[in-house]
């Protein structure tokens, strides 16, 4: 005959609680299904001699357009813009270009380095000038 004590009932109950909590945690961590994003516009002009273009728009508010043209040094120069909705309902926009001068992006969302908080003291400017003069004289000595 089976004997079940009160402490074994408590242990079984604690184990069931632990299993239930674990199942709830697993269910909460499961990836949530989101509806697929519809593509509203997808136009592309195939690359030809370094020139191309495309436009893209999705129903979730993401928009991008880009054009590429042949560059003077064999590269493709690119200009484009992309935008997407922010949580507050406003639209974020980033304009960019890439060419002989590198990649440059413009947007009010991009961080900007703060201006130097104070003028550079004269003794620092003097020290910089002194170091530059030493470098110049050392370079002269190496070429003699």
């Amino acid at each position: 005959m089976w004997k079940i004590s009160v402490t074994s009932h408590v242990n079984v109950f604690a184990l069931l609680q632990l299993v239930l909590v674990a199942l709830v945690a697993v269910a909460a961590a499961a990836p949530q299904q989101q509806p697929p994003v519809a593509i509203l516009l997808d136009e592309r002009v195939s690359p030809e001699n370094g020139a191309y273009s495309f436009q893209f728009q999705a129903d979730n508010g993401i928009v991008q357009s880009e054009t590429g043209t042949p560059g003077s040094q064999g590269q493709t120069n690119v200009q484009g813009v992309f935008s997407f909705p922010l949580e507050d309902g406003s639209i974020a926009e980033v304009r960019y270009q890439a060419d002989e001068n590198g990649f440059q992006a413009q947007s009010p969302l991009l961080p900007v380095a703060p201006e130097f908080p104070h003028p550079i003291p004269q003794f620092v400017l003097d020290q910089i000038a002194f170091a530059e003069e030493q470098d110049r004289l050392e370079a002269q000595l190496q070429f003699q």
Side-chain angles (χ1 to χ4, degrees), residues 120-135:
I120 299 174
Q122 186 59 45
F123 76 90
V124 173
L125 296 173
D126 293 343
Q127 186 65 35
I128 292 170
F130 179 74
E132 289 173 345
E133 179 66 13
Q134 283 184 321
D135 288 345

Side-chain angles (χ1 to χ4, degrees), residues 3-143:
K3 283 190 167 183
I4 299 176
S5 69
V6 174
T7 56
S8 66
H9 281 294
V10 172
N11 288 340
V12 170
F13 183 68
L15 182 61
L16 287 175
Q17 281 182 322
L18 181 64
V19 169
L20 182 61
V21 168
L23 287 174
V24 169
V26 168
Q32 304 298 316
Q33 291 287 340
Q34 294 190 5
V37 176
I39 306 303
L40 304 176
L41 175 69
D42 188 0
E43 294 180 355
R44 299 170 187 267
V45 175
S46 297
E48 186 174 316
N49 298 324
Y52 71 92
S53 67
F54 72 84
Q55 294 183 31
F56 172 86
Q57 184 176 3
D59 74 349
N60 63 358
I62 295 174
V63 178
Q64 183 177 8
S65 64
E66 183 175 292
T67 59
T69 56
S72 64
Q73 298 177 7
Q75 82 286 354
T76 298
N77 292 339
V78 175
Q79 289 186 333
V81 61
F82 65 89
S83 61
F84 54 91
L86 297 173
E87 289 184 11
D88 66 3
S90 63
I91 302 295
E93 181 177 275
V94 178
R95 295 186 172 280
Y96 59 91
Q97 70 179 36
D99 55 21
E100 295 86 359
N101 299 314
F103 179 81
Q104 299 148 11
Q106 298 172 344
S107 172
L109 297 173
L110 297 176
V112 177
E115 291 190 28
F116 200 70
H118 56 78
I120 299 174
Q122 186 59 45
F123 76 90
V124 173
L125 296 173
D126 293 343
Q127 186 65 35
I128 292 170
F130 179 74
E132 289 173 345
E133 179 66 13
Q134 283 184 321
D135 288 345
R136 185 185 67 75
L137 292 173
E138 187 176 311
Q140 276 182 340
L141 290 175
Q142 288 179 355
F143 288 116

